[in-house]
Amino acid sequence: EQQQIIALSEGRHLVLAPPGTGKTEMLAQRILWAVGHGVDPARMICLTFTIRAACNMQERINRRIHARLPLTIGNVHHFCAALLREQRWLPPAWSVIDEPTQRVFLEEVVAGWPAARRHLLLDSGGQLPVNELLAVCRHLRRRELAIPLELAGDPRGERVYRRVPDVMEELQQVYRRHKEAFHVLDFDDLLTYAYAFVVQQRRLPASALYTWVQVDEVQDLNPLQWAIIEGIQAPGAHGVYLGD
């Protein structure tokens, strides 16, 4: 069964298998098979959900070829960051902040507000629901960019937005300006802007679209990530998607 999947070269296929059955090794073998059969490595991409899995796959390929192929291997966020920089859609001086720093940036914004206004954002336990606030900011920014609701998420699903929508609208704007002042993007921004440029504005030239696509851990991808993956594929691209 694994050999049959390794030798696939056209069409789109979903492969489901339990953990520990060799999916990562199979993906590495597929890349080696494709290169050996004349597929251009520059038009190949292999995405997964975690950086660790991507590094594991890269190491397996390097051990067998003893060279670094010009193919793209990484998790979705890493790929979006690289794409934004390579295409010069992201200013070179800008950096990407991790989730803990993202929380700090939002907390700094709220700390600068008057106490009465900060109080409106607290949950029933008197705590600042940072994850919920970040989710609303993400939804609202994507709504500003006219990303479809099924991809952007609905801010009305969060309690704090239903309670104080006007305050949340203001918070999203101030949080975005705060990041811009420090020339940073967060992980949500990477997906948001990659989708805007790739799918909405179709800025990728045909020569930069991928003809051989492999995606691992597909059960963990969200609809926006799927839309980006669809947007980077050339017409008639071959794709294999693996999940637990």
Side-chain angles (χ1 to χ4, degrees), residues 10-12 210-213 232-239 241:
E10 59 183 18
R12 293 157 64 92
Y210 295 94
T211 60
W212 182 285
V213 179
I232 61 175
Q233 299 186 38
H238 168 52
Y241 310 89

Side-chain angles (χ1 to χ4, degrees), residues 157-231:
E158 307 293 344
R159 286 172 296 181
V160 65
Y161 183 81
R162 294 196 299 271
R163 286 194 295 105
V164 285
D166 57 329
V167 177
M168 286 307 308
E169 297 277 357
E170 179 184 356
L171 178 63
Q172 189 275 136
Q173 294 290 339
V174 178
Y175 173 60
R176 178 173 61 82
R177 290 196 295 268
H178 188 56
K179 289 185 293 182
E180 290 173 352
F182 284 89
H183 297 167
V184 299
L185 300 176
D186 59 34
F187 287 149
D188 295 326
D189 294 327
L190 295 177
L191 299 179
T192 299
Y193 296 130
Y195 176 87
F197 289 120
V198 171
V199 180
Q200 289 181 313
Q201 301 181 24
R202 300 184 182 278
R203 289 198 187 183
L204 270 182
S207 59
L209 298 175
Y210 295 94
T211 60
W212 182 285
V213 179
Q214 299 184 172
V215 186
D216 195 11
E217 300 175 311
V218 296
Q219 73 280 351
D220 294 322
L221 300 180
N222 63 39
L224 187 63
Q225 291 169 327
W226 273 113
I228 294 168
I229 292 170
E230 289 290 311

